[in-house]
Amino acid sequence: MKIKGVVSAGKEARVYWGKGGDGKDLAIKIFLTSSAEFRKSIWKYIQGDPRFENIKNVSTHKLMSIWAKKEYSNLKKMYNADISVPRPICVYRNVLVMEFLGEEGVRAPLLKEVYRFQHPDEEKSRRYFSTLIKNVYKMYWYAGLVHGDLSEYNVMIFRETPYIIDVSQAVRIEHPNAHQFLRRDLSNLIRFFSEEIGIDLPSVEEIYRVIISNEMGKIEEL
Ligand SMILES: Nc1ncnc2c1ncn2[C@@H]1O[C@H](COP(=O)(O)OP(=O)(O)OP(=O)(O)O)[C@@H](O)[C@H]1O
Ligand SMILES: [Mg+2]
């Protein structure tokens, strides 16, 4: 595996473009630091999750490894549930390797960015929205997870398909805050597509009901 360039240098994680032994493009996400602020912010995702007990006393490095492993395991569950996420490849310590979304080292645009450079028409926008809602539905019913930080900044448009990224904080549906996170995820998507893109959409509550009542048929109608 070779690292070829930097894709994104965020505060808590850095994403690189690399190539595997077979010449395939890879995205390599390295979890770096955990500020006190970050520790506080992830606490609500970890609390109540039996997979991550006793997290208070672990070192920063260990916490980053746990976080990378958590993103990998969430990605795997989502990928296996036929949700559009980058294919997970492997995880080692604080490094997560996954499929690269983009061409020749140039990453695909975020949902937020795609409207700046291209001008998807209403039909395409509706298709993006309904694909995302179907993915949220599958995430809930087939992967047993709620993303928890879904917005136009954590969706990439790759080959005309919306891909959901940044799933380290996703929680199981039994988590005490899962339904609050689900409502917030839906509200972010609805706000973006209605207020910024200008398409007419049902309310958060309506879509939330359709999802949790397990009626895939109604999802198709949205
Ligand atoms: N599989 C991928 N292929 C290509 N680019 C990716 C991939 N995953 C992430 N990226 C790019 O890296 C950025 C950061 O990734 P991600 O959202 O997972 O991390 P983050 O912790 O939110 O970092 P930040 O704080 O910088 O947003 C994304 O906005 C996207 O531009
Ligand atoms: Mg992100």
Side-chain angles (χ1 to χ4, degrees):
M1 185 176 94
K2 263 199 185 134
I3 291 192
K4 309 270 286 182
V6 182
V7 175
S8 156
K11 258 196 300 174
E12 322 287 357
R14 231 165 250 173
V15 178
Y16 296 90
W17 163 50
K19 283 217 181 262
D22 57 2
K24 277 212 181 108
D25 284 338
L26 303 172
I28 302 153
K29 182 170 179 179
I30 305 184
F31 294 77
L32 290 168
T33 51
S34 71
S35 53
E37 193 192 346
F38 178 66
R39 276 182 175 247
K40 228 166 94 189
S41 75
I42 69 175
W43 183 241
K44 63 176 179 295
Y45 297 101
I46 283 171
Q47 235 177 4
D49 189 328
R51 294 178 295 176
F52 304 102
E53 281 167 11
N54 293 328
I55 206 125
K56 259 194 171 146
N57 303 317
V58 303
S59 68
T60 294
H61 193 77
K62 183 83 186 140
L63 189 63
M64 292 301 94
S65 300
I66 292 173
W67 211 231
K69 222 161 89 190
K70 188 168 187 269
E71 175 145 17
Y72 179 74
S73 106
N74 288 338
L75 265 185
K76 231 162 85 176
K77 283 191 197 154
M78 293 175 189
Y79 188 78
N80 292 337
D82 197 33
I83 294 160
S84 299
V85 292
R87 183 170 67 84
I89 296 171
C90 62
V91 65
Y92 178 70
R93 298 203 176 167
N94 60 331
V95 180
L96 162 69
V97 182
M98 61 191 146
E99 170 192 4
F100 184 80
L101 305 177
E103 315 280 356
E104 300 183 31
V106 180
R107 68 165 174 85
L110 300 174
L111 177 60
K112 172 77 187 175
E113 295 165 338
V114 94
Y115 286 88
R116 241 182 262 155
F117 307 120
Q118 306 160 18
H119 300 280
D121 58 15
E122 182 173 340
E123 193 193 322
K124 200 181 269 183
S125 300
R126 282 196 176 274
R127 190 158 49 71
Y128 289 163
F129 179 76
S130 82
T131 306
L132 282 166
I133 297 299
K134 269 181 226 162
N135 278 308
V136 171
Y137 173 92
K138 290 198 253 182
M139 203 178 282
Y140 188 91
W141 288 104
Y142 306 152
L145 294 168
V146 170
H147 187 286
D149 190 24
L150 196 54
S151 73
E152 62 273 31
Y153 297 97
N154 280 331
V155 172
M156 297 179 86
I157 304 293
F158 180 50
R159 297 181 179 151
E160 305 270 291
T161 302
Y163 279 72
I164 294 174
I165 61 162
D166 203 0
V167 305
S168 54
Q169 72 294 312
V171 297
R172 297 211 267 184
I173 60 172
E174 300 84 19
H175 187 285
N177 299 331
H179 283 242
Q180 181 202 327
F181 294 151
L182 175 58
R183 279 201 176 87
R184 194 178 57 191
D185 287 351
L186 293 173
S187 149
N188 288 340
L189 293 179
I190 292 168
R191 177 199 36 76
F192 178 73
F193 281 98
S194 62
E195 287 172 24
E196 283 193 44
I197 309 308
I199 58 177
D200 237 3
L201 292 170
S203 69
V204 174
E205 211 44 40
E206 220 169 310
I207 298 186
Y208 168 77
R209 291 275 153 221
V210 168
I211 288 178
I212 62 161
S213 65
N214 197 359
E215 291 176 277
M216 188 63 169
K218 283 203 183 151
I219 299 267
E220 303 284 352
E221 289 162 23
L222 286 175

